[in-house]
Amino acid sequence: MCMSVWEGVNTIESSYGVPDYRPHGYTKVPQPAQGLLVSRRCPAPEYCVDYLVVGGGVVGLAIAQRLSQKFPSKSTYLVDRNPSAGQEISSRNSEVIHAGLYYPVESLKMRLCLRGRDLMYARCKDYNIPYNKIGKLVVAQQEQRAYIEGLHDKAAKLAWPTYTPASELNKPVLPTELLSGDQARELVPDLSKGIMAALWSPETGIVDSHAFMESLEKDIMESEMGELVYNTSVVRVDPYNASRQASGLEKEEGWVVQTSTAGDQDSDSGDAFLVRNLIVSAGLSGPFILNSLLPKEKRISMYYARGTYASFNGHGVGNIKHLVYPSPNMGTKKDGFHSLGTHLTLDLEGKIRFGPDLEWISPPENEDGVDFWQSHLAPSEVRLKEMQEAIQDYLPSVKLDGLAPDYVGVRPKLVGPNGGFQDFVIRKDFSGEGTRGPMVNLLGIESPGLTSSLAIAEYLVEEVLADHH
């Protein structure tokens, strides 16, 4: 057993509240794991699970679905602390199927967005999931022409990602078209006269994310060995050591995972089982289980970005049929890679919504809970004026009285403001340190996480876990 892993656990048991610091003043890493009852003893596990996925958002569901379909004779459990799937990030986003415009060519975000886009469209067709490939305009003022021209040039040079069927290889990976300002106004007549060019992306779409998640749930539930377990939190994770834990599983190796059902945090209750392969896809709580096992100097910081969405009912956007995105640096704030600007999206009924904006949040000084972000979910009118000012850069006739607060989402970030581009992080921890299967941690899975979800699952199962099946 790797001593550093055990030392990390022992340190947490003795000091409980560490770490408590605010990197760059924007957040702190509070308790080492979400709801982790670090005072518990590590009990003898009662039974084995081949794959345990922690987190029932769209990415966790996609991973559990892929595992249960590929390995029907192996047990795949998904646990989530909420009463149903997708209650955190997955139910508070734009429901956009991204085409893959924005990300660095060699990044996981680019690869998995391109592959995930096509997997999602195919699944929507096969499972009758409501979607609409309505296309998107990225609009630019004169000084932003170079930006969209760069996107267009990059798109033309992209190669198809791994696992693309041979039948698709003769098609453009990411078709785009450069338009003049007047051509863009033929599609969206209310665009500002200051919009001098636009990039048309026909592969962008929208999807009913809840119907999509329900289809994944159905596959898991109908599989031979798949299980969905809601209202259940992981409260402790330990490397399994048969010599310390007499359980009748002496020949097994893996992770001892303790869970607790909602409303029952008694330290003597709950289940403990041996997990051969542990996959943590916990979104806004992404690093906290891993941090409970790492020494202090290696723990991962988290940042949180709040985004407000506003519904719109008024003049200034007539007969709109496509999504409209500003260039990322439009408006009063320079968001860079952290935000695509306060853009216009449509739902499947054609209703207009603007957002999200970007607001960095952090816990109050006297608050230690990792769920502080839940107090920031209530939409209000406070952000509307600033949002309207950003929108008027490209839709000048949108009035404040047509906007109403709709909902709020929070995005998990691994870098703070001015931190630049941050790729998806899918890391295999503790592999080869005496455990048969690794702990796989998915961190910073924000946009385009919904679009990429099926490709993330494919990548994780076919490559990250390839040596552990």
Side-chain angles (χ1 to χ4, degrees), residues 137-167:
L137 280 174
V138 183
V139 298
Q141 297 173 355
Q142 180 62 35
E143 66 273 17
Q144 296 160 331
R145 278 180 177 270
Y147 173 77
I148 62 170
E149 289 170 355
L151 293 181
H152 178 65
D153 291 343
K154 179 176 68 175
K157 299 173 183 175
L158 287 173
W160 281 103
T162 307
Y163 307 118
T164 300
S167 59

Side-chain angles (χ1 to χ4, degrees), residues 395-412:
L395 291 168
S397 297
V398 168
K399 304 300 183 186
L400 184 61
D401 60 9
L403 295 169
D406 196 350
Y407 61 93
V408 169
V410 177
R411 287 159 276 175

